[in-house]
Amino acid sequence: MVASAGALVKITTEADLAYAQRRPGKPAPANAVLIDANENPLGPCTEACSAIAALGAKGGRYNFGLSQELVRTFADLEGLKPEYVRAYAGSSEPLHYTVMAFSSPAKSVVVADPSYEAPGRSAGYSGAKLHKVPLTKDYAHDVKAMVSADPNAGVIYICSPNNPTGTITSRSDIEYALANKPKGSIVLVDEAYIHFADAQPVLDLVAANKDLIVLRTFSKIYGMAGLRCGFAVGRPDLLAKLDPYGWNFMPVPAVIAAMCSLKDKTLVPARKKINADVRDETFAWLTANNYSFVRSQSNCFLMDVKRPPRQFTDAMEAKNIYVGRTWPTWPTHVRVTVGTREEMAAFRTACKEVMDMPVQATYYSVPAPTPFLS
Ligand code: PLP
């Protein structure tokens, strides 16, 4: 019997907890295919790995100047003044700081739905109201609806390419948001996945002094999710509200690896092509099998598994393939990260077997809790 999401039965909270903790509490086997967290299976580039290995005893020093050198390098590459850039250990930190700085019980946060949930969690801390605006039929952010969602909005969060759909919100829409947003609010554009897509980045709008903060990370195309490095890019008066120091003592391995990554001019185009080739191969297979999915420009995509998502993810996990998570708005869609060609071949074999299984009427009615966001 095909069950609608509402008719499903939740089994136990203990089971939910065990499921949520499977990665920290029950590490995936060494040979597992990990396509659940939007990481890059290629890891840091070769030069970054060699530089970190050579770091050794220098790790005993603060190396104060290194973080500033990284900031200067990135600023030069992007045509920005260094004071418009701050480095952090990943982009989660400045995302959280930005929402905390510009929202409050009187200043709400506006996000798309489905989209990356981190701003919503930060809004929970700042006591801000959260407005969730459905994506358009093309899966872009509905910026017109977002800017008019609340005249007292403090933050309008645009994730482009969007996590989880991998779809783009056009630059002209972002310009519209900047021109029409409520007075005193900022637009927070999350470009975590920008290097995978053909979209036009918006860092030049920061240089033009708009009310905009852009987030960048080394966790995705640069393969440095565990090394932790990212940037907040914005007007100095906006960045000053994020944290009082002006710059961070960054972990030295992260800074060294980020510098190597930025200096390698072939890295981004080469990895963009590798991801696009494997993604297109996967989409061709999904289409040939009549599986429904959202055509993404990123390193992940949503697939409609037409069953309780945890029936799908559990069955895949039993075959050693760890796929990603679910958003309540679209309760039968599961996010899959694009892995290597070999990993996606294993995904296809397991996916077909699991999709051929009968749909179970009673399964977990709620998506797995998500302790860690990625
Ligand atoms: N923004 C988006 C859209 C993400 O998907 C993620 C992680 O997956 C992040 C930000 C945070 O990444 P990190 O803190 O590793 O830079």
Side-chain angles (χ1 to χ4, degrees):
M1 183 183 110
V2 179
S4 73
L8 299 169
V9 175
K10 183 171 187 283
I11 298 184
T12 65
T13 51
E14 289 76 17
D16 284 335
L17 201 62
Y19 187 97
Q21 291 176 341
R22 72 171 196 261
R23 290 292 283 278
K26 182 187 147 205
N31 62 347
V33 171
L34 300 178
I35 47 175
D36 56 345
N38 286 0
E39 297 149 340
N40 191 330
L42 303 178
C45 64
T46 316
E47 294 74 17
C49 293
S50 312
I52 294 170
L55 193 65
K58 284 193 196 146
R61 301 285 172 194
Y62 282 114
N63 290 287
F64 295 112
L66 268 184
S67 302
Q68 286 151 318
E69 197 183 330
L70 173 67
V71 161
R72 270 197 305 275
T73 304
F74 178 76
D76 280 354
L77 284 171
E78 298 293 346
L80 293 156
K81 293 184 189 141
E83 58 269 30
Y84 283 61
V85 181
R86 283 193 189 183
Y88 293 89
S91 61
S92 296
E93 229 182 296
L95 192 164
H96 181 61
Y97 293 160
T98 305
V99 175
M100 295 299 287
F102 293 94
S103 73
S104 67
K107 290 268 172 203
S108 68
V109 176
V110 184
V111 298
D113 189 26
S115 186
Y116 189 50
E117 308 95 319
R121 289 197 176 175
S122 303
Y125 286 108
S126 73
K129 190 161 187 221
L130 182 68
H131 299 280
K132 291 183 170 188
V133 177
L135 295 175
T136 66
K137 61 176 178 8
D138 301 325
Y139 310 112
H141 287 47
D142 188 344
V143 293
K144 289 204 169 69
M146 289 177 81
V147 294
S148 53
D150 182 356
N152 294 314
V155 180
I156 296 168
Y157 173 77
I158 297 177
C159 186
S160 183
N162 188 35
N163 179 3
T165 53
T167 46
I168 305 299
T169 296
S170 71
R171 180 192 168 89
S172 56
D173 274 357
I174 294 172
E175 285 171 337
Y176 177 93
L178 284 166
N180 295 281
K181 67 183 177 53
K183 200 166 178 302
S185 65
I186 61 142
V187 176
L188 177 59
V189 178
D190 190 335
E191 293 190 337
Y193 301 93
I194 194 75
H195 304 98
F196 291 110
D198 293 327
Q200 203 186 342
V202 293
L203 287 178
D204 59 309
L205 297 175
V206 172
N209 289 319
K210 302 288 182 197
D211 295 334
L212 169 77
I213 291 180
V214 178
L215 300 173
R216 286 286 181 91
T217 183
F218 286 84
S219 296
K220 306 304 174 182
I221 207 151
Y222 294 112
M224 288 177 39
L227 283 170
R228 312 300 301 142
C229 191
F231 294 121
V233 189
R235 244 179 22 231
D237 64 298
L238 298 180
L239 295 185
K241 295 196 162 72
L242 268 53
D243 58 64
Y245 303 114
W247 61 284
N248 289 313
F249 295 142
M250 290 285 293
V252 172
V255 176
I256 299 262
M259 293 277 277
C260 293
S261 305
L262 290 179
K263 283 180 180 158
D264 182 345
K265 298 291 167 244
T266 60
L267 189 64
V268 168
R271 288 186 167 196
K272 181 182 177 190
K273 180 167 173 7
I274 291 169
N275 178 70
D277 288 350
V278 178
R279 187 185 62 209
D280 291 349
E281 205 170 275
T282 309
F283 287 174
W285 178 82
L286 291 169
T287 307
N289 282 276
N290 282 325
Y291 297 141
S292 163
F293 65 98
V294 178
R295 198 164 281 276
S296 150
Q297 284 207 39
S298 186
N299 71 338
C300 66
F301 59 91
L302 277 182
M303 175 182 174
D304 187 355
V305 298
K306 308 220 185 270
R307 67 199 65 216
R310 287 177 63 178
Q311 186 192 337
F312 181 81
T313 53
D314 284 356
M316 291 293 280
E317 188 175 320
K319 295 175 184 295
N320 225 5
I321 314 281
Y322 287 66
V323 291
R325 48 201 191 83
T326 305
W327 276 250
T329 336
W330 294 353
T332 61
H333 284 73
V334 169
R335 192 192 68 192
V336 179
T337 302
V338 177
T340 62
R341 179 157 276 137
E342 296 71 32
E343 287 173 336
M344 295 318 278
F347 163 79
R348 290 196 294 271
T349 306
C351 180
K352 177 92 181 66
E353 288 167 8
V354 171
M355 290 297 278
D356 285 345
M357 290 174 180
V359 173
Q360 287 180 33
T362 55
Y363 212 81
Y364 300 97
S365 62
V366 287
T370 309
F372 310 109
L373 293 179
S374 62

